[in-house]
Amino acid sequence: MTTMIANLPRERKLVLRVTRLFFILAWALTLSPLPLAQAADEWPRVTSLNLCLDQYLAAQAPKTPSVQTVAAHQGRVERILRFAPELVVATEFSSPLLIHYLKNHGLEVHTLAEPSSLDAVIALQRQLQHLLSLSDATVSELDRLFDQQPLAGKRLLWFQENSLSFGADTLFTEVIHQLGGENVAAQQGSGLVRFNLEDLWSLRPDIVITEASTMKGSAADSHENEHFALAQTGAYHSAFHQYIEQPQVHVLNLPRTMMGCFSYQLPEFVRSVTAALGGAGHD
Protein backbone atom coordinates (compact mmCIF):
# COMPACT_ATOMS: atom_id res chain seq x y z
CA MET A 1 0.00 0.00 0.00
CA THR A 2 2.85 2.36 0.93
CA THR A 3 4.45 1.72 -2.46
CA MET A 4 1.21 2.48 -4.36
CA ILE A 5 0.76 5.76 -2.50
CA ALA A 6 4.36 6.72 -3.20
CA ASN A 7 3.96 6.09 -6.94
CA LEU A 8 0.67 7.92 -7.30
CA PRO A 9 2.06 11.43 -8.03
CA ARG A 10 4.34 10.03 -10.75
CA GLU A 11 1.39 8.26 -12.42
CA ARG A 12 -0.58 11.50 -12.36
CA LYS A 13 2.32 13.30 -14.00
CA LEU A 14 2.46 10.61 -16.68
CA VAL A 15 -1.27 10.98 -17.32
CA LEU A 16 -0.93 14.74 -17.58
CA ARG A 17 1.97 14.42 -20.04
CA VAL A 18 0.10 11.94 -22.23
CA THR A 19 -3.00 14.15 -22.20
CA ARG A 20 -0.95 17.22 -23.10
CA LEU A 21 0.76 15.35 -25.94
CA PHE A 22 -2.63 14.22 -27.30
CA PHE A 23 -3.96 17.79 -27.44
CA ILE A 24 -0.77 19.05 -29.09
CA LEU A 25 -1.04 16.40 -31.80
CA ALA A 26 -4.73 17.13 -32.34
CA TRP A 27 -3.99 20.86 -32.68
CA ALA A 28 -1.18 20.17 -35.15
CA LEU A 29 -3.43 18.01 -37.31
CA THR A 30 -5.95 20.84 -37.60
CA LEU A 31 -3.22 23.05 -39.05
CA SER A 32 -1.83 20.51 -41.53
CA PRO A 33 -3.36 20.19 -45.03
CA LEU A 34 -5.55 17.19 -45.81
CA PRO A 35 -3.94 14.50 -47.93
CA LEU A 36 -5.06 14.22 -51.53
CA ALA A 37 -6.64 10.83 -50.83
CA GLN A 38 -9.33 12.59 -48.82
CA ALA A 39 -10.37 14.83 -51.71
CA ALA A 40 -13.39 12.62 -52.44
CA ASP A 41 -14.66 13.29 -48.89
CA GLU A 42 -14.91 16.98 -49.76
CA TRP A 43 -17.44 16.32 -52.51
CA PRO A 44 -20.95 17.54 -51.71
CA ARG A 45 -23.71 14.94 -51.72
CA VAL A 46 -25.05 15.36 -55.26
CA THR A 47 -28.20 14.01 -56.90
CA SER A 48 -28.38 14.00 -60.70
CA LEU A 49 -31.67 14.29 -62.58
CA ASN A 50 -30.21 13.61 -66.02
CA LEU A 51 -28.38 10.65 -67.62
CA CYS A 52 -25.79 12.93 -69.24
CA LEU A 53 -25.05 14.44 -65.84
CA ASP A 54 -24.72 10.90 -64.47
CA GLN A 55 -21.91 10.27 -66.94
CA TYR A 56 -20.22 13.57 -66.16
CA LEU A 57 -20.31 12.99 -62.41
CA ALA A 58 -19.10 9.40 -62.78
CA ALA A 59 -16.09 10.62 -64.76
CA GLN A 60 -15.25 13.29 -62.19
CA ALA A 61 -15.70 11.15 -59.08
CA PRO A 62 -15.77 7.44 -59.97
CA LYS A 63 -17.28 5.10 -57.36
CA THR A 64 -17.93 7.86 -54.85
CA PRO A 65 -20.92 7.27 -52.54
CA SER A 66 -21.58 11.02 -52.65
CA VAL A 67 -23.34 10.85 -56.04
CA GLN A 68 -26.91 9.60 -56.55
CA THR A 69 -27.68 8.79 -60.18
CA VAL A 70 -30.97 8.58 -62.06
CA ALA A 71 -30.71 4.78 -61.93
CA ALA A 72 -30.43 4.95 -58.14
CA HIS A 73 -33.43 7.20 -57.42
CA GLN A 74 -35.52 6.49 -60.58
CA GLY A 75 -37.21 9.86 -60.27
CA ARG A 76 -38.79 9.02 -56.91
CA VAL A 77 -38.92 11.92 -54.47
CA GLU A 78 -38.73 9.74 -51.36
CA ARG A 79 -35.47 8.12 -52.51
CA ILE A 80 -33.90 11.50 -53.18
CA LEU A 81 -35.01 12.85 -49.80
CA ARG A 82 -33.66 9.75 -48.08
CA PHE A 83 -30.29 10.32 -49.75
CA ALA A 84 -30.38 13.91 -48.39
CA PRO A 85 -28.30 15.62 -51.10
CA GLU A 86 -26.66 18.96 -50.49
CA LEU A 87 -27.04 19.74 -54.19
CA VAL A 88 -29.35 18.59 -56.99
CA VAL A 89 -28.29 19.15 -60.61
CA ALA A 90 -30.83 19.03 -63.44
CA THR A 91 -31.13 20.08 -67.07
CA GLU A 92 -33.87 21.61 -69.19
CA PHE A 93 -34.92 18.05 -70.05
CA SER A 94 -35.46 17.05 -66.41
CA SER A 95 -38.99 16.69 -65.06
CA PRO A 96 -40.33 20.15 -64.04
CA LEU A 97 -42.73 18.47 -61.59
CA LEU A 98 -39.89 16.58 -59.88
CA ILE A 99 -37.82 19.77 -59.63
CA HIS A 100 -40.84 21.57 -58.15
CA TYR A 101 -41.34 18.90 -55.46
CA LEU A 102 -37.66 18.87 -54.53
CA LYS A 103 -37.53 22.65 -54.19
CA ASN A 104 -40.67 22.55 -52.03
CA HIS A 105 -38.82 20.17 -49.71
CA GLY A 106 -36.04 22.72 -49.31
CA LEU A 107 -33.45 21.13 -51.60
CA GLU A 108 -31.03 23.26 -53.62
CA VAL A 109 -31.72 22.51 -57.29
CA HIS A 110 -29.62 23.92 -60.14
CA THR A 111 -31.13 23.57 -63.62
CA LEU A 112 -28.39 23.79 -66.24
CA ALA A 113 -29.11 25.31 -69.65
CA GLU A 114 -28.57 23.20 -72.77
CA PRO A 115 -25.61 24.74 -74.65
CA SER A 116 -26.03 25.64 -78.31
CA SER A 117 -22.58 27.18 -78.85
CA LEU A 118 -18.99 26.49 -77.86
CA ASP A 119 -18.95 29.49 -75.54
CA ALA A 120 -22.04 28.08 -73.81
CA VAL A 121 -20.31 24.70 -73.38
CA ILE A 122 -17.31 26.39 -71.77
CA ALA A 123 -19.71 28.29 -69.49
CA LEU A 124 -21.43 25.01 -68.59
CA GLN A 125 -18.11 23.36 -67.74
CA ARG A 126 -17.16 26.32 -65.55
CA GLN A 127 -20.57 26.26 -63.82
CA LEU A 128 -20.19 22.56 -63.01
CA GLN A 129 -16.65 23.13 -61.77
CA HIS A 130 -17.93 25.89 -59.48
CA LEU A 131 -20.85 23.83 -58.14
CA LEU A 132 -18.66 20.78 -57.50
CA SER A 133 -15.52 22.66 -56.39
CA LEU A 134 -13.46 21.22 -59.25
CA SER A 135 -10.39 22.69 -60.90
CA ASP A 136 -10.55 24.32 -64.34
CA ALA A 137 -8.32 21.61 -65.85
CA THR A 138 -11.04 20.55 -68.33
CA VAL A 139 -11.40 24.02 -69.83
CA SER A 140 -7.63 24.42 -70.01
CA GLU A 141 -7.33 21.06 -71.76
CA LEU A 142 -9.99 22.03 -74.30
CA ASP A 143 -8.08 25.21 -75.12
CA ARG A 144 -4.90 23.20 -75.63
CA LEU A 145 -6.60 20.57 -77.83
CA PHE A 146 -8.30 23.22 -79.97
CA ASP A 147 -4.93 24.87 -80.51
CA GLN A 148 -3.60 21.59 -81.96
CA GLN A 149 -6.13 21.71 -84.84
CA PRO A 150 -6.31 17.89 -85.24
CA LEU A 151 -8.86 18.20 -88.09
CA ALA A 152 -6.90 20.75 -90.11
CA GLY A 153 -7.84 20.40 -93.79
CA LYS A 154 -10.23 17.50 -93.12
CA ARG A 155 -13.86 17.22 -94.27
CA LEU A 156 -16.08 15.43 -91.78
CA LEU A 157 -19.61 14.00 -91.52
CA TRP A 158 -21.52 12.72 -88.50
CA PHE A 159 -23.73 9.99 -90.01
CA GLN A 160 -26.71 9.53 -87.65
CA GLU A 161 -29.78 7.35 -87.67
CA ASN A 162 -32.45 8.13 -90.28
CA SER A 163 -29.62 9.57 -92.43
CA LEU A 164 -29.61 12.77 -90.37
CA SER A 165 -26.74 15.01 -89.42
CA PHE A 166 -26.07 18.42 -87.89
CA GLY A 167 -25.74 21.21 -90.44
CA ALA A 168 -24.79 24.87 -90.23
CA ASP A 169 -25.41 27.02 -87.13
CA THR A 170 -25.01 24.10 -84.72
CA LEU A 171 -22.67 23.36 -81.85
CA PHE A 172 -21.23 20.36 -83.71
CA THR A 173 -20.29 22.45 -86.76
CA GLU A 174 -18.70 25.10 -84.54
CA VAL A 175 -16.63 22.48 -82.71
CA ILE A 176 -15.43 20.89 -85.97
CA HIS A 177 -14.48 24.34 -87.31
CA GLN A 178 -12.61 25.10 -84.07
CA LEU A 179 -10.68 21.85 -84.53
CA GLY A 180 -9.64 23.02 -88.00
CA GLY A 181 -12.04 20.89 -90.05
CA GLU A 182 -15.17 21.31 -92.18
CA ASN A 183 -18.56 19.74 -91.48
CA VAL A 184 -19.80 18.83 -94.99
CA ALA A 185 -23.39 18.51 -93.73
CA ALA A 186 -23.42 22.30 -93.27
CA GLN A 187 -23.91 22.50 -97.06
CA GLN A 188 -27.32 20.86 -96.60
CA GLY A 189 -28.72 23.72 -94.50
CA SER A 190 -29.00 24.78 -90.85
CA GLY A 191 -29.85 22.71 -87.80
CA LEU A 192 -30.71 19.04 -88.17
CA VAL A 193 -30.44 18.13 -91.87
CA ARG A 194 -31.08 15.12 -94.07
CA PHE A 195 -27.96 13.53 -95.54
CA ASN A 196 -28.59 10.55 -97.82
CA LEU A 197 -26.12 8.16 -99.42
CA GLU A 198 -26.05 10.13 -102.68
CA ASP A 199 -24.90 13.19 -100.69
CA LEU A 200 -22.25 11.05 -98.98
CA TRP A 201 -20.72 10.12 -102.36
CA SER A 202 -21.03 13.61 -103.88
CA LEU A 203 -19.57 15.59 -100.96
CA ARG A 204 -16.98 12.91 -100.11
CA PRO A 205 -15.99 13.53 -96.48
CA ASP A 206 -12.53 12.37 -95.36
CA ILE A 207 -13.84 11.33 -91.96
CA VAL A 208 -17.17 9.68 -91.13
CA ILE A 209 -18.35 9.58 -87.53
CA THR A 210 -20.77 6.80 -86.64
CA GLU A 211 -22.27 5.69 -83.36
CA ALA A 212 -21.07 2.32 -82.13
CA SER A 213 -24.51 0.71 -81.94
CA THR A 214 -25.38 1.53 -85.57
CA MET A 215 -22.43 -0.19 -87.23
CA LYS A 216 -22.62 -3.59 -88.85
CA GLY A 217 -20.86 -6.15 -86.69
CA SER A 218 -21.59 -4.22 -83.50
CA ALA A 219 -24.13 -5.06 -80.83
CA ALA A 220 -26.88 -3.82 -83.16
CA ASP A 221 -26.00 -6.64 -85.54
CA SER A 222 -26.68 -9.28 -82.88
CA HIS A 223 -29.91 -11.25 -82.62
CA GLU A 224 -29.81 -10.46 -78.91
CA ASN A 225 -30.28 -6.75 -79.59
CA GLU A 226 -33.96 -5.82 -79.28
CA HIS A 227 -33.56 -2.15 -80.20
CA PHE A 228 -32.63 -2.37 -83.86
CA ALA A 229 -34.91 -0.23 -86.03
CA LEU A 230 -35.34 0.76 -89.65
CA ALA A 231 -33.75 4.08 -88.66
CA GLN A 232 -30.39 2.29 -88.69
CA THR A 233 -30.63 0.74 -92.15
CA GLY A 234 -28.56 3.50 -93.77
CA ALA A 235 -25.48 2.23 -91.93
CA TYR A 236 -26.14 -1.27 -93.33
CA HIS A 237 -26.52 -0.24 -96.97
CA SER A 238 -23.87 -1.56 -99.32
CA ALA A 239 -23.28 1.95 -100.76
CA PHE A 240 -22.40 3.20 -97.28
CA HIS A 241 -19.92 0.41 -96.68
CA GLN A 242 -18.39 0.78 -100.12
CA TYR A 243 -17.69 4.40 -99.30
CA ILE A 244 -16.21 3.98 -95.81
CA GLU A 245 -14.06 1.02 -96.90
CA GLN A 246 -12.06 3.24 -99.24
CA PRO A 247 -8.47 3.53 -97.97
CA GLN A 248 -8.53 7.33 -97.86
CA VAL A 249 -11.64 7.44 -95.65
CA HIS A 250 -11.23 7.38 -91.89
CA VAL A 251 -14.10 6.04 -89.75
CA LEU A 252 -14.55 7.11 -86.12
CA ASN A 253 -16.96 4.69 -84.47
CA LEU A 254 -17.73 6.54 -81.24
CA PRO A 255 -19.94 5.48 -78.31
CA ARG A 256 -23.59 6.48 -78.44
CA THR A 257 -23.25 7.74 -74.86
CA MET A 258 -20.60 10.21 -76.00
CA MET A 259 -22.46 11.53 -79.03
CA GLY A 260 -25.82 11.60 -77.26
CA CYS A 261 -24.39 13.79 -74.50
CA PHE A 262 -22.21 15.88 -76.78
CA SER A 263 -22.21 19.05 -74.63
CA TYR A 264 -21.12 17.20 -71.50
CA GLN A 265 -18.78 14.79 -73.28
CA LEU A 266 -17.10 17.40 -75.48
CA PRO A 267 -13.66 16.97 -73.85
CA GLU A 268 -13.90 13.19 -74.41
CA PHE A 269 -14.99 13.74 -78.03
CA VAL A 270 -12.06 16.04 -78.75
CA ARG A 271 -9.65 13.59 -77.08
CA SER A 272 -11.07 10.69 -79.11
CA VAL A 273 -10.79 12.58 -82.40
CA THR A 274 -7.25 13.72 -81.60
CA ALA A 275 -6.14 10.22 -80.59
CA ALA A 276 -7.82 8.47 -83.53
CA LEU A 277 -6.28 10.75 -86.14
CA GLY A 278 -2.86 10.20 -84.64
CA GLY A 279 -2.82 6.80 -86.37
CA ALA A 280 -3.95 5.47 -89.68
CA GLY A 281 -6.59 3.10 -90.94
CA HIS A 282 -10.12 2.37 -89.81
CA ASP A 283 -11.42 2.10 -86.27
Side-chain angles (χ1 to χ4, degrees):
M1 179 67 69
T2 304
T3 304
M4 292 178 62
I5 294 174
N7 289 336
L8 188 58
R10 186 171 57 187
E11 292 176 356
R12 285 180 177 174
K13 289 180 181 179
L14 181 60
V15 170
L16 288 174
R17 288 174 180 172
V18 171
T19 304
R20 184 183 302 169
L21 179 61
F22 171 79
F23 281 109
I24 290 174
L25 287 173
W27 175 75
L29 286 173
T30 62
L31 296 180
S32 63
L34 289 173
L36 293 177
Q38 296 184 15
D41 297 335
E42 299 175 2
W43 260 68
R45 292 176 67 81
V46 182
T47 291
S48 163
L49 301 186
N50 181 271
L51 293 174
C52 290
L53 282 169
D54 286 355
Q55 291 185 58
Y56 179 88
L57 294 171
Q60 299 298 325
K63 300 181 180 180
T64 175
S66 301
V67 175
Q68 184 186 40
T69 63
V70 172
H73 61 71
Q74 298 182 338
R76 297 175 60 176
V77 176
E78 64 273 17
R79 290 187 179 182
I80 297 175
L81 295 179
R82 193 181 306 124
F83 182 72
E86 301 169 67
L87 175 68
V88 178
V89 284
T91 72
E92 295 175 344
F93 300 108
S94 302
S95 167
L97 188 60
L98 178 58
I99 292 174
H100 173 75
Y101 278 131
L102 295 178
K103 286 183 176 180
N104 279 352
H105 281 86
L107 294 183
E108 180 182 347
V109 182
H110 289 265
T111 302
L112 307 174
E114 185 66 21
S116 58
S117 67
L118 186 54
D119 285 343
V121 172
I122 299 299
L124 172 67
Q125 294 284 340
R126 292 193 186 280
Q127 184 179 5
L128 286 166
Q129 290 165 3
H130 173 73
L131 290 173
L132 302 172
S133 300
L134 300 172
S135 70
D136 63 350
T138 299
V139 175
S140 300
E141 183 187 14
L142 276 176
D143 290 338
R144 178 179 59 80
L145 292 172
F146 284 138
D147 288 341
Q148 292 179 7
Q149 299 276 290
L151 293 179
K154 299 293 184 180
R155 293 159 52 80
L156 182 143
L157 169 70
W158 178 2
F159 193 87
Q160 302 180 49
E161 294 179 350
N162 287 309
S163 299
L164 296 173
S165 191
F166 285 111
D169 304 316
T170 61
L171 171 62
F172 180 74
T173 297
E174 184 180 0
V175 169
I176 297 306
H177 177 75
Q178 192 71 25
L179 293 172
E182 176 192 355
N183 176 20
V184 297
Q187 300 180 39
Q188 304 296 101
S190 299
L192 196 62
V193 298
R194 181 76 63 181
F195 197 98
N196 58 38
L197 294 175
E198 288 81 4
D199 298 322
L200 176 68
W201 279 90
S202 64
L203 293 177
R204 307 189 69 82
D206 306 302
I207 302 168
V208 178
I209 291 180
T210 61
E211 296 178 10
S213 62
T214 65
M215 288 297 293
K216 187 175 182 179
S218 68
D221 201 31
S222 170
H223 68 278
E224 299 177 354
N225 190 306
E226 300 177 356
H227 304 288
F228 176 78
L230 292 175
Q232 299 172 353
T233 54
Y236 284 76
H237 198 284
S238 59
F240 178 76
H241 285 273
Q242 288 172 16
Y243 184 83
I244 65 174
E245 287 167 5
Q246 297 177 98
Q248 73 274 17
V249 178
H250 200 114
V251 180
L252 300 183
N253 195 19
L254 300 178
R256 181 187 291 268
T257 51
M258 178 188 296
M259 304 310 291
C261 299
F262 189 71
S263 300
Y264 294 89
Q265 298 293 316
L266 181 58
E268 286 71 20
F269 170 79
V270 175
R271 290 187 205 111
S272 297
V273 169
T274 303
L277 296 183
H282 297 268
D283 283 0

